[in-house]
Amino acid sequence: MPRDNSIKSVLIIGSGPIVIGQACEFDYSGSQAARSLKEEGIKVTLINSNPATIMTDKVTAENIYLLPLEVKSIVKILEENPDIDAVLPTMGGQTALNLAMKCDEMGIWKKFNIRMIGVDIDAIEVTEDRDKFRARMESIGVGMAPSHIAKSFLEGKEIAQKFGFPLVIRPSFTLGGSGGSVVYQKEDFDKLLDRGLHTSPIHEVLIDKAVLGWKEYELELLRDSNDNVAIICSIENFDPMGVHTGDSITVAPAMTLSDSTYQKMRTLAIKMMRSIGNFAGGCNVQFAVNPDDSEEIIAIEINPRVSRSSALASKATGYPIAKIASKLAIGYNLDELENQITKSTSAYFEPTLDYVIVKIPRWNFDKFKGANRELGFQMKSVGEVMGIGRCFQEALQKACQSLEIKRNGLGADGREVKNQDELLKSLERPSWNRLFHIYDAIKLGISIKTIQKLTRIDPWFLNQIEELILLENEISKYSLKDLPRDLLYEAKQKGYADRQIAHLLKCLESEVFNRRRELNINRVYKLVDTCAAEFEAKTPYYYSTFEDENESIATDKKKIVVLGSGPNRIGQGIEFDYSCVHGVLAAKELGYETIMINCNPETVSTDFNVADKLYFEPVFWEHIYDIILNEKPEGVIVQLGGQTALKLAEKLERYGIKIIGTDYKSLDLAEDRGSFSNLLKDNGIPYPKFGVIEDAEQAVELSKELGFPLLVRPSYVLGGQNMKIVINEQELEQHVVNLLKDHPGNQVLLDHFLEGAIEAESDSICDGTDNYIIGIMEHIEPAGIHSGDSYAVLPPFDLSENVLKQIEQHTKTIAIALKTVGLLNIQFAIKDEVVYIIEANPRASRTVPFIAKAYDEPYVNYATKVMLGAKVKDFKFNPRKKGYAIKIPVFSYEKFPEVTKELGPEMKSTGEAIYFIDDLTDEFFHNIYSERNLYLSK
């Protein structure tokens, strides 16, 4: 059936602020869906309260509502846009589905004559209501783990008595496994049951007999209204059942599944999708498989929407699931749409991969002191990375290099744990570092049999890691000069970084690099082509490996590289992806060929049709340098990818590669507290008294001069990492010792902390001569709470003319003194009408997308053009100034029930929302203002 022409205007519901369990994968899906519908001439209206995303930007849709995801917002939109005739709720995660359900219950869709497309109410109800889902699976003969629904505490206790332990508790209608848990022993059951019942919006839980240790798989499906179904990707979890799939290392395609079991799983998945409702769109199905010879399959759950896994599957296969799903939702059939990669075959095909992808989650436990770091059925990771390689080992190493946790890959860096008891305990109860501990255990000589028994991880994966260690042992027998070429070649093919090989050979990384160039062992680039090279691929989407043929042919056009921000984490989130996308689009407008380097599968920047060329590679020096040698760009933009990209500026400078925009010296000057304070002193700008120390004794001495309270922090960090306010010598000494242990060789800064000060920040664009302030924001919380965790108001609500003048003057003076070309964020503390400088960041900041949305101006586009040579006065700035915009920080503390919510100089929020008010009499403003001191901690 061709497109349904009665659909002229569609409402897409977004997923709101980023929280653990619902991140920028939905921003990616929503952006893709909006573009896909716009291509069809359909008017797209979007609701999402998240200002940091490209989804809520005019490059995605013209008609955007930055409103809370509530029924009254939907009603407002439908009243203002009577032409809307359909709603697509499958692109915004659980939040969007729950809101669509609520609107349906209240008769909103019926009242406004709105059709739901991409899913139907029956499908949502069946998949979310654990009881209905079980009944439906039974009716079609699909096996499940023994389970019962409990709607009360007493019912739950009775079920537990019947099943025995271990058990799994899964609350109904929640996201990211919220409130879910594995209960190993009777003593923990009451507390976890109570939590599960309270987490479920309908106070209902499903209690399963645990199938811990079974293998876990996911399939991504697409179905059209003709009932054609395509399986886009099979994903195998490296971690067995017992770890939420968002916290599991996953591999595509499935590695250890027999063909007969895969075919059976395919058949079951199609049967399940057809049974839950008659709709056209995407679906994610999860299975558990018994690891014994029977390979018995049971269904875990089905999600009738795009998910975290579909973003991963899209990037893994190059098949844009959300784009095709939205076309199916408006009536197209799979065989009527073209394959986006080949442009010559239809979308009704199942991708075959001639490479392997490995996804590894990224956690931020260090931000939540006292958090339980064990992984279970409730998701705890804040981001993820994906590595692409010709074999599992190469993809695994590349994923480890992408994580930015100070590792150079999996091992071979001298950081292994050698305590047998510690390792055995870690293997049994999974945590964020279990992968590294498996490597350490094999290296220590613990048998694969023991490791398999403790982890229940398939022996195939363990043997792959063991092979790496055997290769390392072989390499270690040689020196660089006499290392056989085939051994070095094998190490590179298995993903080893030059840095790892240098560690094994006790030499320098640069020496390994030079040696492999001498031996003609060079990185080549392969297309992600979805059809195992059976048909010619037309999309410029590449990964690297070590073979003979290079498929990435460099053009002779003038080109720019944009460095991405790597995995999402607290302190560096989706706002940098927003900036990278705008940077790419602006450089394209100026006629540059644009090259994007990033390894985050959740984001829009790694969509293959954003930049002219996408290299899905770690934002890791060796990979970047090889791409630069292949492409020979005019230069590299580092100020849009957060601290990740900025940290590479020094290397780029050293290797003579041009940094586009503010140069390395200025970037470093702003980061180096001593030099920066001298700059302030020379310009007569006030700053809190400070000093730099190298040990705890110096710190105590300096504290006598500076006076308590003191703000203690390392240089060169993002998101206030490891910053702390201390109020006496004992606390000071303790924190300095810990800092130097975590950041050896780094400077530690002590600032006199201005108690009771007001905080504010400015963002501006500078061309080295002229500076334009795009916005000044005033924080509602007092100084001492990280700017990312503060409510902030644009424009300021109670700063005097005198203070605002000082802020404007200091911003301009600093921008020019730093020779800024591009963006600059400055943070201020205001006390007794004096404006002090806390810090300056000559890069894109968290607040730039917020200001751009509030004032309706494409500031990153302008800033990128300035970096590429335009002047500030070339632009006609015309901000839409009406009322106030409030930045609302959003936290994910419910994932860590054992941690108390307290805020300080280290950032802890995972996302943010925007809220508009007309004036300061607004009740919302008064409520948050009255709570401004509530969570402040030292």
Side-chain angles (χ1 to χ4, degrees), residues 852-871:
K853 303 294 169 63
Y855 285 164
D856 195 16
E857 294 244 90
Y859 292 125
V860 181
N861 179 291
Y862 297 165
T864 305
K865 287 172 178 171
V866 165
M867 289 178 225
L868 291 165
K871 296 295 173 203

Side-chain angles (χ1 to χ4, degrees), residues 624-660:
I624 288 158
Y625 188 50
D626 274 344
I627 293 167
I628 288 168
L629 291 175
N630 187 55
E631 290 288 351
K632 303 178 182 57
E634 308 276 306
V636 178
I637 294 180
V638 296
Q639 58 174 280
L640 301 177
Q643 203 69 17
T644 296
L646 225 52
K647 278 195 298 216
L648 290 156
E650 192 238 346
K651 270 275 181 56
L652 291 166
E653 167 87 355
R654 207 176 336 137
Y655 280 75
I657 297 152
K658 185 176 178 343
I659 293 169
I660 303 285

